[in-house]
Amino acid sequence: MAKSSAISHSVSLEESVWELFETGAYEEVSLAAERHPTNVFIHHLSAISQFETGADTANNFPLEGKTVLTPLLGAYLHRSNGRPREAAILFHEYFKASSSPISYSILKTGIRTCEEAGNYKFALDLIQIYKTLFQDDFFAGLEFFSLYHMRRFGEALESFKRNSLVLREDRDVLAALGLCLVHLGKFEEAKEILEKLPGAGEIPSYEDKVTEYEPMIRNIPKYEKRKKQLSEKELLDLGYAYLFSQSYKKAEEVFTSLVSQVK
């Protein structure tokens, strides 16, 4: 167990129970808690085991006392009670602490909770920890979407390039990638991506989008006259009208102004 000496005086006992937890032997963790009724750490770990299995009894544990697992336990309690935002904060606090033991299961739960909460910054922080420890691409898609939702379009593009082998067939990723390229002013590349989406026959083609925006394209001069008074949605529509009429420079200016407003 990483840094287990920071947990309590019963190092070897707690290490052995933590190893049971790491291997998914949750029933044995619960039995250990029964055998050691005064060991707060093991009781906390037993409660977390119950949360990991989805048991309804986790909230009924005697959870007095404080251990290194306290923030983690609080995160699971918030999550089970439908408060993912509060849970995400505590998961992040737990995993950023240098003394916290980490396992595959709880880190995955923490990342998923950050995603559920829409806290993409915390998700990225935990994904970086995950990649360092486990060195796989399990969260490649979430890493890309987190960067996308945070408007870090250049980094999202680089993330896609690093993980293109696992992401290139994901239609949602490719659609977001196309929009990343639009925001970066790479309109020809965006057009190529959007035209080649998997299942393109089920979604509007580039030509369909041109037809859809035809009324807006015809009225571009009117919108330009009151450009400073346009709402965000109207500006977005104007940007796409420029894009689908191949006025790429003007489209870039509009999208850049919209991105700057959310930074």
Side-chain angles (χ1 to χ4, degrees), residues 26-194:
Y26 299 141
E27 289 186 10
E28 294 185 49
V29 174
S30 297
L31 290 174
E34 293 177 7
R35 290 194 298 268
H36 303 279
T38 62
N39 191 305
V40 179
F41 174 84
I42 295 177
H43 273 272
H44 283 183
L45 192 58
S46 181
I48 293 168
S49 298
Q50 293 297 311
F51 281 121
E52 278 294 316
T53 61
D56 295 329
T57 57
N59 286 293
N60 300 325
F61 274 77
L63 303 177
E64 297 84 1
K66 186 175 182 179
T67 70
V68 70
L69 299 178
T70 298
L72 182 62
L73 183 56
Y76 276 95
L77 285 166
H78 279 305
R79 189 172 192 263
S80 71
N81 289 307
R83 296 190 292 269
R85 291 183 180 180
E86 292 85 349
I89 292 171
L90 289 177
F91 272 120
H92 188 263
E93 175 187 331
Y94 176 82
F95 288 114
K96 294 295 283 186
S98 60
S99 61
S100 298
I102 298 175
S103 78
Y104 184 78
S105 62
I106 61 175
L107 184 51
K108 285 182 67 176
T109 299
I111 293 171
R112 289 303 187 198
T113 302
C114 292
E115 179 185 17
E116 293 165 8
N119 195 325
Y120 297 108
K121 181 185 183 304
F122 283 2
L124 283 173
D125 286 345
L126 300 195
I127 288 170
Q128 187 56 51
I129 295 172
Y130 178 91
K131 288 166 61 178
T132 300
L133 292 175
F134 302 108
Q135 300 179 348
D136 65 40
D137 54 18
F138 186 86
F139 287 106
L142 180 56
E143 180 180 22
F144 168 81
F145 278 116
S146 295
L147 291 166
Y148 171 78
H149 285 298
M150 292 178 69
R151 309 288 187 178
R152 291 159 60 176
F153 300 116
E155 293 175 71
L157 178 58
E158 291 305 312
S159 175
F160 176 83
K161 290 178 179 178
R162 287 195 305 271
N163 299 288
S164 61
L165 289 178
V166 295
L167 298 179
R168 63 188 180 187
E169 301 299 326
D170 188 313
R171 175 178 166 181
D172 291 337
V173 168
L174 292 178
L177 177 64
L179 293 177
C180 279
L181 292 167
V182 168
H183 285 291
L184 292 170
K186 301 177 183 292
F187 301 113
E188 288 292 346
E189 294 178 50
K191 178 181 176 182
E192 291 179 10
I193 291 290
L194 294 172

Side-chain angles (χ1 to χ4, degrees), residues 4-21:
S4 57
S5 61
I7 294 170
S8 82
H9 299 297
S10 303
V11 175
S12 60
L13 171 62
E14 294 176 0
E15 275 192 335
S16 64
V17 177
W18 177 263
E19 288 172 1
L20 291 172
F21 176 82

Side-chain angles (χ1 to χ4, degrees), residues 222-237:
K222 294 181 180 179
Y223 279 87
E224 287 178 330
K225 288 181 180 179
R226 60 184 192 89
K227 192 172 182 179
K228 293 183 179 180
Q229 287 76 46
L230 295 179
S231 67
E232 183 175 327
K233 182 182 183 306
E234 288 174 322
L235 276 173
L236 188 62
D237 284 340

Side-chain angles (χ1 to χ4, degrees), residues 204-224:
S205 66
Y206 186 85
E207 288 71 22
D208 290 334
K209 298 300 289 184
V210 172
T211 301
E212 177 186 341
Y213 277 89
E214 180 60 32
M216 185 71 189
I217 292 171
R218 288 199 307 268
N219 288 304
I220 283 176
K222 294 181 180 179
Y223 279 87
E224 287 178 330

